[in-house]
Amino acid sequence: AQKVTQAQTEISVVEKEDVTLDCVYETRDTTYYLFWYKQPPSGELVFLIRRNSFDEQNEISGRYSWNFQKSTSSFNFTITASQVVDSAVYFCALTNAGGTSYGKLTFGQGTILTVHP
Amino acid sequence: EAQVTQNPRYLITVTGKKLTVTCSQNMNHEYMSWYRQDPGLGLRQIYYSMNVEVTDKGDVPEGYKVSRKEKRNFPLILESPSPNQTSLYFCASSLCSGTERAGDSYNEQFFGPGTRLTVL
């Protein structure tokens, strides 16, 4: 069985603050993929990043960065110098790359981020 | 434009009245999936399909049916809807390239705009 936990239900910050969204996962497979999606107030789901289990390099994309640590089964997401437009629900997700659960995508409960001006 | 479309976007119905939510993608993706989103529970997978005529249960398949007769379409069928199926539904598709043996890649899913269903 696979599981994704986003312990932070809601986070509220003031613009320009840095904020980290936590994601902890559980899986028995050695090959898996992790994702982050953003859901702005308009409701659509926007893909942000994919990471496979063999690649533990951290990634930076503009103000966004991701820290993947297999030792702690975490895939945390940091927004630097947050902006009001970052206000959204953020989801972490996991899928195994093979076996009987191939194709099953498990999402965390989501973290509601509110950035105040 | 590459996209996943769902219809209808909004639907209010009554208990027991069969309904179908359509999903179509124009990206020639092999993989398609349905999710429901409920407050505090995130997105939960209902059914998924790896290719035409291949479907599998997700985490919450009870009360739903799907079919995959064509690559582009993946309708979600509620034979006898109940109020606990009131939810926001998303269809998604992705390109499946490779297998576990090939060691490659599970690609990101492209989501439709969502269908808000209310069952009275």
Side-chain angles (χ1 to χ4, degrees), chain A residues 2 18 20 24 28 30 40 44-45 51 70 74 85-86 93:
Chain A
Q2 53 194 45
D18 298 348
T20 295
V24 174
R28 292 197 185 117
T30 56
E44 74 272 23
L45 283 152
R51 172 69 68 219
K70 285 179 79 169
S74 64
V85 293
D86 295 327

Side-chain angles (χ1 to χ4, degrees), chain A residues 37 39 50 102-103 105, chain B residues 31 37 45 50 106 108-109:
Chain A
Y37 283 87
Q39 187 177 41
R50 176 192 66 185
Y102 184 60
L105 187 64
Chain B
Y31 180 97
Q37 183 178 3
Q45 193 170 36
M50 303 297 287
Y106 191 98
E108 67 272 18
Q109 296 191 21

